[in-house]
Amino acid sequence: MLDTETKRRIDTCRDILVGKVPDPKSQVEQITIALIYKFMDDMDAEAEELGGKRTFFAGRYDKYGWSRLMAPNMGGFDVLALYSEAIQKMNENPGIPPLFRDIFKNAYLPYRDPETLRSFLKEINSFTYDHSERLGDAFEYLLSVLGSQGDAGQFRTPRHIIDFMVEIIDPRKDESILDPACGTAGFLISAWKHILGSNTKTRSGDRLTLDERKRLAANMRGYDISPDMVRLSLVNMYLHGFTDPHIVEYDTLTSDEKWNEYADVILANPPFMSPKGGIKPHKRFSVKATRSEVLFVDYMAEHLTPNGRAAIIVPEGIIFQSGGAYKQLREMLVKSCLVAVVSLPAGVFQPYSGVKTSILVFDKRLAKQLDSVLFVKIENDGFGLGAQRRAVAGSDLPAAAAAIRRWLTLPAASTESTTSTDAFAGQKNVLLVSRERIGENGEWNLSGERYRENRINTSNYPTVPIGEICDLINGRAFKPDDWEKIDSGGIPIVRIQNLNNPENDFNYYTGEVSDRHIINKGELLFSWSGSRGTSFGAHIWNGGRAVLNQHIFKVGYDEARATKMFLLHALNEAVVEVEENLHGGVGLVHITKGNLEKIQIPLPPLEVQKEIVAEIEGYQKSIEALKQEIAEQEQKIKTAINRVWGDK
């Protein structure tokens, strides 16, 4: 357990650095390097006390010893020069193990302020080490400040979710364990602790022999594309007792150097996002894709041993996206290794992201015996789903883990083939669905909500009036004298003609504007007056910051009950269906705020809303592709005709 004094010191180090090193990841790296630097000097000092010799800071590296940095006769710029030189040259030091050389690889000091460095090193000097679990906990706390690396779609996995996944997979001492997108090695360390706990009589891991411990440590591997993450994971593993951790810098998706390496257990939360233009993977994947989440899941399914097991966090696109690669991937998983799907609530990754995720559970051996897939829905993970993530009572995780473990041990307890579709009948948020049913329409959808027997058609979901979940704010009424045709430092006025084309000419307003009427890119709007089929109805604003003219509502909504894209489609469908509330002729129509607020729309659960939107977007992409193909064929026809007429 992390002691409060160590926590305070880590917080103080961050406070010292924040003015010069604002990026949390860079702060963590600087603190990591400094802690290891002092740790090596402490080990040298301990060796001397016991009658041995210094090995880390010896020979020409003696001048970099910690005591020299802290000497009272050293000026600020002298300390700055010595420390900066030391951390850059430490990876060449032959007196330190390869692990520490890797930690200092590409290390540098990102600021040149001697007073900041003096204060920082003084705080580092106050740390004491006993190379125990306590120090590992301290480093875990340090890593917790990393947050998200949003551009790469990476989010630090909460410790209780990692432990839950490890519990249901139940890694054992004789198994090889891999995380191919390991970040800070949280899954590997949790698996290590789990195995120690499973082999404990009176003290941690006392039932493991020395050879078993060595073999287990050698069997735990991690890859990461980021050298910074490799450095942090190496430190994390070392501080949890791994003297030679096997974490390497490796691009799992574009390099095939390790393609022939397999694992008995895979645990991971791979990156969700793909770069613009997609990933360009090597040719050995069975699913042809450019999306990182598809390729990572494919990689892990393919790199399990014949009896291998895995638990993987995936974004919702994997669950129900209609693209060809997604469907091909799901079909492969259902037919070969998938045994359970755990739906996590949106908010598990707060405060970094509200992204909705699920956990896929693989077991290659059991998948051949189990003719169904278990779907488990988590509504309460033991923490509030807001930004603060405060602990709350009533976590669903223990019951979910018990249900999954029961499902995975069912074949061993049964003398018959396991068709056990009634094994969890009546159990809340647990559902068994046959593999045949999952694949019957060719979508291979992995959302448990799709298969509930009491599930009703979308049109019969509970309906609510638009006014109950939407706040409709009308735009401002401008007078002709209020605007200018040319931008002279004003704000663009969004009129009906700008909705479908933000590049259209704007009028500009230079007076005071209430935030109530301001819109930004991505906001949901509703033009309550305009041309049927074009400007009238709901829109997503694709322009920049602007002010709304009258005849357009800014639509606020309850994010706990509805998604923006679902409302976009629902609002447009609603006003088409309820013609009696529209006024005007065949072309131009309008609707009053009161009439719009009264219209009822169906409101499925959030996860179903996202499925519906994803399905619609898939169809829209197909339509666009067909339009493009039609245009190309029409051009070919014109070319052929021109060629004929030209011959005449």
Side-chain angles (χ1 to χ4, degrees), residues 164-356:
F164 168 77
M165 294 166 65
V166 169
E167 179 184 355
I168 59 180
I169 292 300
D170 187 27
R172 295 184 280 273
K173 64 182 181 181
D174 56 346
E175 293 181 314
S176 56
I177 302 168
L178 170 67
D179 182 348
C182 72
T184 58
F187 281 102
L188 297 178
I189 289 168
S190 179
W192 168 259
K193 291 179 179 179
H194 176 86
I195 295 169
L196 291 181
S198 301
N199 292 274
T200 294
K201 184 177 182 180
T202 56
R203 57 184 177 81
S204 179
D206 58 1
R207 286 180 171 167
L208 292 173
T209 66
L210 181 60
D211 284 344
E212 286 174 332
R213 282 177 175 266
K214 288 181 179 178
R215 186 164 56 250
L216 174 58
N219 279 341
M220 303 189 83
R221 294 173 287 129
Y223 313 147
D224 202 281
I225 193 173
S226 165
D228 296 333
M229 289 295 105
V230 170
R231 175 187 294 138
L232 295 176
S233 61
L234 286 171
V235 175
N236 204 12
M237 295 284 280
Y238 180 78
L239 295 179
H240 283 86
F242 290 77
T243 56
D244 183 24
H246 298 283
I247 309 292
V248 297
E249 184 181 341
Y250 180 69
D251 187 342
T252 306
L253 304 185
T254 63
S255 173
D256 63 355
E257 177 188 340
K258 297 181 180 297
W259 184 261
N260 294 325
E261 296 182 11
Y262 295 82
D264 300 312
V265 170
I266 295 179
L267 297 154
N269 176 16
F272 296 169
M273 301 296 289
S274 301
K276 188 175 181 180
I279 301 287
K280 294 179 173 58
H282 56 73
K283 306 298 184 184
R284 302 180 73 173
F285 288 92
S286 63
V287 177
K288 304 306 177 187
T290 59
R291 300 292 301 175
S292 63
E293 65 269 28
V294 174
L295 293 167
F296 265 115
V297 175
D298 179 21
Y299 182 93
M300 289 182 258
E302 292 195 55
H303 283 78
L304 288 173
T305 58
N307 293 326
R309 310 182 305 289
I312 308 161
I313 295 177
V314 297
E316 289 301 272
I318 293 292
I319 302 299
F320 53 73
Q321 278 279 13
S322 59
Y326 290 92
K327 288 193 285 189
Q328 183 187 353
L329 175 69
R330 291 194 295 266
E331 179 179 5
M332 181 268 285
L333 297 179
V334 172
K335 289 181 175 180
S336 67
C337 60
L338 186 68
V339 292
V341 179
V342 182
S343 174
L344 296 174
V348 163
F349 289 101
Q350 291 283 21
Y352 317 126
S353 171
V355 64
K356 173 76 176 69

Side-chain angles (χ1 to χ4, degrees), residues 95-116:
I96 65 177
L99 166 65
F100 290 103
R101 290 202 293 272
D102 287 342
I103 290 169
F104 283 95
K105 184 179 179 182
N106 299 321
Y108 71 100
L109 190 66
Y111 59 92
R112 308 301 297 174
D113 178 30
E115 290 308 311
T116 297

Side-chain angles (χ1 to χ4, degrees), residues 339 366-373 407-408 410-411 418 435:
V339 292
L366 290 182
K368 299 174 183 176
Q369 303 175 47
L370 299 168
D371 62 2
S372 298
V373 174
W407 176 236
L408 299 183
L410 198 61
T418 49
R435 298 180 192 275

